[in-house]
């Protein structure tokens, strides 16, 4: 009965992890999937997470289901982390948070919520964007469109075209944004540009949907949230999808959250009821362990401080790799200027390499990156920097 089912191509990002694992060459370099690696190429468990797990092992007394919306302490701790303790949406209890299986789970719950409550709304994403964005919204039956974002020649946000594009979006549609560390380009708007974008969203009555998967990897936890705060002004309702996969290195625990910020506390209960209906018909209720870890760390001042320090260390190592890559490429004396890599933020940059060059790097040098030329800077290390840059110079 299944003989007519067609074979699909591998996932453009996670499919590469499988290809890297199959590659027997010992010198292989993986700059594909967005995971942090230390200078030895490892993705260790954070120390604050180990301590929290130790405590949970000793104190956990049951494996009963969590509520549909997830762990209550976790859900209380998420909005102040996203918006700041004194943000009016936090102090006025205008946030409805559900714990989700990772940031992808948050996006899918958001997509189903949009389909149920705004059935005619389209979702607009940046061109380019994370390849899973269009898939998630299409899978929920939501139409997907793209707005202009990136200037590939200047390797920065094309602000004039972005503004122009946003002004064409029909009122009531959903505007999907990456508030910091744009995936895949690494090019973010400035604080002033974010203000303008939020003005446009408010004027045009668009629903901001903020994919905030890399909080803390740009300039810092609070600094990276600046754009999020712009879209949570009085009178605006927005959806924030956040993730602890990256900033807590809890990749396989699948812990994230969807926070709906509403403009009147009376809307919290109906919105929460809709979110719960989506969750119940999708995965019933979320797994507990990852959320318990996050809640344990965030509730304990000394563990929380340890987390800040470990996150700062990850961020600073990525910045170091950005400078080292730009410097080493310039030493290779190619015609191509890679200094832009230093000014971009987060794990990713668009290298500007063509699909043919990406293929050559994979086949001839065992260097893996996404076909569109996206590199994960967090996959670089001091030891692999010279061979990496020499290989790139060889295919240019
Ligand atoms: C990425 O963009 O590499 C990460 O967000 C991992 C993923 O699920 O694609």
């Amino acid at each position: 009965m299944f003989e007519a089912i067609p074979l699909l191509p591998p996932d453009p990002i996670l499919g590469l992890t499988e290809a890297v694992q199959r590659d027997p060459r010992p010198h292989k370099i993986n700059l594909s999937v967005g995971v942090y690696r230390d200078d030895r190429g490892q993705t260790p468990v954070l120390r604050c997470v180990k301590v929290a797990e130790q405590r949970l092992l000793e104190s956990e007394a049951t494996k009963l289901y969590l509520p549909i919306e997830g762990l209550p302490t976790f859900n209380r701790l998420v909005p102040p982390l996203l918006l700041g303790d004194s943000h009016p949406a936090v102090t006025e209890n205008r946030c409805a948070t559900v714990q989700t299986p990772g940031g992808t789970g948050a996006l899918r719950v958001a997509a189903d919520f949009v389909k149920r409550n705004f059935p005619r709304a389209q979702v607009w994403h940046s061109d380019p964007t994370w390849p899973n964005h269009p898939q998630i919204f299409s899978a929920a039956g939501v139409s997907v469109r793209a707005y202009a974002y990136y200037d590939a020649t200047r390797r920065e946000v094309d602000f004039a075209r972005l503004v122009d594009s946003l002004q064409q979006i029909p009122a009531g549609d959903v505007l999907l944004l990456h508030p910091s560390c744009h995936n895949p380009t690494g090019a973010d708007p400035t604080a002033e540009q974010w203000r303008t974008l939020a003005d446009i969203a408010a004027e045009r009555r668009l629903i901001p949907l903020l994919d905030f998967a890399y909080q803390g990897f740009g300039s810092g936890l609070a600094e990276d949230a600046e754009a999020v705060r712009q879209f949570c002004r009085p009178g605006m309702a927005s959806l924030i999808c956040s993730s602890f996969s990256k900033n807590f290195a809890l990749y396989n625990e699948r812990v994230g959250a969807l926070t709906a910020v509403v403009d009147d506390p009376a809307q919290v209960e109906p919105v929460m009821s809709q979110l719960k209906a989506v969750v119940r018909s999708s995965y019933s209720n979320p797994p507990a362990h990852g959320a318990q870890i996050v809640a344990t760390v965030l509730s304990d001042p000394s563990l929380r401080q340890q987390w800040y320090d470990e996150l700062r260390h990850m961020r600073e190592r990525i910045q170091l790799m950005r400078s080292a890559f730009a410097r080493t490429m310039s030493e290779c004396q190619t015609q191509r200027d890679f200094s832009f890599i230093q000014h971009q933020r987060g794990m990713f940059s668009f290298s500007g390499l063509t699909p043919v060059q990406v293929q050559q790097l994979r086949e001839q040098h065992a260097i893996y990156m996404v076909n569109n030329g996206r590199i994960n800077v967090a996959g670089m290390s001091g030891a692999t920097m010279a061979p990496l840059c020499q290989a790139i110079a060889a295919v240019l």
Side-chain angles (χ1 to χ4, degrees), residues 13-14 32-34 130 183 214 246 348 374:
I13 297 177
L14 296 186
S32 57
V33 66
W130 183 46
N183 181 2
Y214 294 88
K246 325 280 176 174
F348 306 119
R374 186 192 83 170

Side-chain angles (χ1 to χ4, degrees), residues 126-138:
S126 62
D127 176 21
T129 195
W130 183 46
N132 213 14
H133 276 151
Q135 301 193 132
I136 292 169
F137 289 93
S138 303

